[in-house]
Amino acid sequence: MKIDVALQKFAAYPHVVVTWVGDDGYPAQTPAEFSADHAAGVLRIHATGVPLPAGRQVNIIASHIRPQAGTGYDERRYVTAWGALASDGDGYVFRPERAWGWDEAETPFFEYSERSNEQARKYLRTLSDERGAPVKPRLSRFWSVLITTRLPFLTATFVPILIGVAAAAYDGHFNIWYALLTLLGGAAIHVGLNVANDVFDAMSGADEANVNPTQYSGGSRVIQRGIVTLKQMGAISIGAYAGGISVGLLLLAMRPSVELLVIGVAGVFLSVFYTAPPLRLVHRGLGELTTAIGFGPLMLLGAYAVQAQELSFSAFVASVPVAIFIALILYVNEIPDRNSDAKVGKRTLPARLSQGAVTTLFLVSALAAFAVVAAGAAFGTLPWPTLIALLGLPLAFSVHRGIRMYYGDPYALMATMGKNVQLHLVVGMLLFAGYCIAIAMD
Amino acid sequence: MTWLPEDVQRLLDAALVAEVAVIDGGGRPVVHPLLPLWDGERIYITSSILFSKKLEHIRNNPRVSVTISDPAAAGGLRARCAIQGDARIFEEDPHETWERILPLWREKEPAIDAFLGKRYALPLFFERSLIEITPRRVAWWSDGDVGRAPATAAGPEVAA
């Protein structure tokens, strides 16, 4: 912190505490009244009942909290400095030489904590070295699995598969076991992708550079926090991909078709090279498009092909809004990561576009998705009950408002990111419900 | 039983923040604003491993000082005090060892239970070490006027 900034901050506090090392080797402290002299670049310490050590280096700190009945306190902030203390008439003059501090209004607590991950790892390394055994942070197995695999994000897989199965059933093809196997295979590939994403973002430094992670962005953080090692994450990813590919091969053996083979190969290819070198599609500005294709047409048409052993234009049209809304999840989640992504060359759309362009593009894309549903139903490509998906429109406008209001505040944007995940889920499930209603009415 | 004067005990019971001084490897004082907990005999502070430099300093030099200076953060009590003492770190299991002072923490910061319920979201914050401080000397200003010489007292080890 610059000294003139520190002086300004000190001036906002009612008193300071002066600390020095006494002759007995203990820190000695006394509160003191003071005033800031900005012109001279010093703090003028008023006379204290405890004589201060003029001519020596001292520490000065000013801190503040606001007590809150029933909870504890908030408004945490402090500023502190090292410098030389000199006598000045009845009082003293403190000339700060090095200053630092924290104000949670300027650096949110979560960011402050993220910036300290390395200190935590260093401390655990020291303990591990002393004990000759690894000392690691602990999480319950339940939370470790949930966070490492990012299981809640599997709705992105379930939505297109359920719609694909429903679309096939509407066309007269349905087998529950094939449907369950498709869900299982899709989920395994998705877990493999989530974990691989963390592995490659850890290796590129993207996640380490991100000090504003949220529950929707910045990865699972298990590597940065030392809960799971990079090697373990690699093994989990490979295991999940192996499981998913095995299920895919089983389905291909039971329901052979060229369409399913092509979709399966393309799906695995896109998910692996989403963050993996040499393609690193997400780093080339193709993340949104890759996600849209993978979690839109490929998943939905794959599920359809398993049931029907062929493709359908109607199912493809149904996959377009799903593709747009899943891409918009990634797109909005990338907003808080845009600076750290840009630093490591991850050219996502929010990293390249202005705030106004990012906000407008969201609204245009969401409205286009609803327009596809409306047009599909109007032209008879989609069964008319799928029009109930338009009930998701108010949610889209709400997300747009949230992006406009909280673009620059990752933590305030979290509620909007949550709503945006709901938007994909709600519109997807309404489309699914539309198909179910149409099947029931047939 | 503690030898600390009642004014100081009341401060320790009420204070939501204290300026805690440790000595770094270069012999300089480093001061952190921290929540002081008091069990009637010793002062306790916990430190997340995220902010564990102070622990490194205490390992090298256990001499510390704890000052309570802000009436607004001490239930309106006007008194102020500066306590010197010896620190000891408990870090057998950073996940659990510190939890033995949770009842004291809860009294001053009831919201800690809600945060602890979500420790999965910030796991490193709740991997902590416990610092136990045995007071040796105290200076205190009953009326809060630090322009006057403080009253002082020392523990039995120092007095002897």
Side-chain angles (χ1 to χ4, degrees), chain A residues 69 117 124 205 222 416:
Chain A
N117 277 342
L124 292 174
V222 292
T416 299

Side-chain angles (χ1 to χ4, degrees), chain A residues 404-437:
Chain A
R404 261 193 343 204
M405 289 173 67
Y406 305 118
Y407 193 85
D409 185 340
Y411 300 107
L413 192 65
M414 273 174 66
T416 299
M417 290 193 277
K419 270 188 195 169
N420 192 38
V421 172
Q422 284 174 27
L423 177 62
H424 167 264
L425 184 61
V426 165
V427 173
M429 292 318 290
L430 285 171
L431 273 175
F432 175 68
Y435 270 107
C436 291
I437 293 168

